[in-house]
Amino acid sequence: MTKLEQDLQLAYALIEEKEKYVEYYWQFYRLWPFTTINMKEYLNPYDLENKKCTTIQGSSDHILELFLKKPKKIIGVDTNPLTGHYGNLKLASFAVLKNPKEYLDFFRWHDYPSFCKNNYKVFDKDIFQEISKYLSGDSKSFWEELFKKYEPVKIRTNLFKDTDEENNQALYQALNYLSVENYNYIVNNREKMNFSFKNVDIRNFTESVEEEQDFITLSNLIIYAHYMYPNDTLQSYKGLIENLSQRLSENGKIIAGYLYDIENEDDDRKIYKQALRDKVFQEPEYSYQYVKRMRDLHCNQDSTNHDATLIYTKNNK
């Protein structure tokens, strides 16, 4: 069975809900449609022009946000093979969808045309036919096969996670690339993007990439550390950061994790216990950047609490 055939078999199983009773399989492979973190604010401090960057790919919004910072190269990493196809669909769409409204009208299931409404024109077939002209290789075949086999709404609702921002305003606030100016920059420069997708577990990243990186972001992977490392979770996750630092340039940074509502110690996960966290992730290697919790982003309502990123900085001296 070819890689494309494997990817399609997985997609068919998800869309047809054949594996819905296998919780890990079902939850792990469904796609993230858009970000659930405040990328605009947390990436703001970093000057990444001409830098080599790696990110957990997820919704692929990190790819677009990093591209606005004019890096030398971007690597997207994800264990979910379908993520690569979704990222290529998003990138190709900038050749056809000329503004943020058209983009959201094509990709969004919620907030159409107003809050609490669903978009039954999502993944419009005629628009997809135009976008497909800018796809190539396995991703072109992957999406064309899905659109031949299923109705667009079924693809959008079953292939993707239920976790989705309830309204577009939260996305406008969280993502730089949805401003008209930045969107146009991607439209006009997308072919210059030096991007590659690696379908690997981040725990095996150093085995698959030899070149030095200046910036690595693990997005919100940290909140799943207890799944990755059921035993000795925090020390093991720190071991992951130390392993990744082998590919990090001096003074390079790793965003070890984005923590929602960091002051919420009612959360049972060890990563949310400040005393335990501070014992493992110590200064000066580790520091925090506090980020505004935005209304409606990741189901957040008004709160005086913050999100935060845990940052590792490499210093070889």
Side-chain angles (χ1 to χ4, degrees), residues 10-17 26 146 150 154-155 158-159:
L10 171 59
Y12 296 157
L14 293 168
I15 293 171
E16 295 170 16
E17 301 182 314
W26 180 245
L146 291 191
Y150 304 107
K154 189 166 186 177
I155 298 172
N158 287 12
L159 193 62

Side-chain angles (χ1 to χ4, degrees), residues 136-241:
S136 61
D138 281 359
S139 288
K140 181 178 179 67
S141 300
F142 176 84
W143 288 110
E144 287 180 342
E145 286 301 314
L146 291 191
F147 273 83
K148 286 177 188 175
K149 192 175 179 69
Y150 304 107
E151 287 303 308
V153 169
K154 189 166 186 177
I155 298 172
R156 181 57 178 80
T157 55
N158 287 12
L159 193 62
F160 291 79
K161 291 180 182 290
D162 292 332
T163 304
D164 194 1
E165 301 314 329
E166 292 297 327
N167 66 78
N168 289 343
Q169 187 58 38
L171 292 175
Y172 280 116
Q173 293 175 356
L175 294 166
N176 283 298
Y177 80 82
L178 291 180
S179 75
V180 172
E181 180 181 1
N182 288 329
Y183 191 92
N184 287 339
Y185 176 84
I186 297 175
V187 167
N188 294 325
N189 294 279
R190 67 179 188 83
E191 293 183 351
K192 300 176 184 177
M193 183 185 293
N194 184 0
F195 166 71
S196 62
F197 171 68
K198 290 193 174 294
N199 180 205
V200 297
D201 190 310
I202 192 65
R203 289 169 288 192
N204 300 323
F205 179 76
T206 56
E207 299 170 15
S208 61
V209 174
E210 295 185 357
E211 61 186 317
E212 197 171 70
Q213 304 295 304
D214 300 300
F215 182 82
I216 299 173
T217 176
L218 302 185
S219 187
N220 62 357
L221 188 69
I222 199 167
I223 67 174
Y224 303 104
H226 59 295
Y227 290 129
M228 299 170 66
Y229 305 107
N231 301 315
D232 202 11
T233 298
L234 300 190
Q235 283 290 352
S236 296
Y237 193 82
K238 182 180 180 182
L240 169 64
I241 304 305

Side-chain angles (χ1 to χ4, degrees), residues 293-305:
R293 283 183 61 73
M294 293 176 3
R295 182 175 177 84
D296 298 322
L297 187 64
H298 198 53
C299 303
N300 177 43
Q301 299 303 314
D302 290 331
S303 171
T304 58
N305 287 359

Side-chain angles (χ1 to χ4, degrees), residues 57 63 78 93 138 159 178 193 233 252-253 274 285 295:
Q57 184 147 332
I63 306 301
D78 211 292
S93 74
D138 281 359
L159 193 62
L178 291 180
M193 183 185 293
T233 298
K253 294 185 183 295
Q274 183 177 354
E285 286 183 306
R295 182 175 177 84

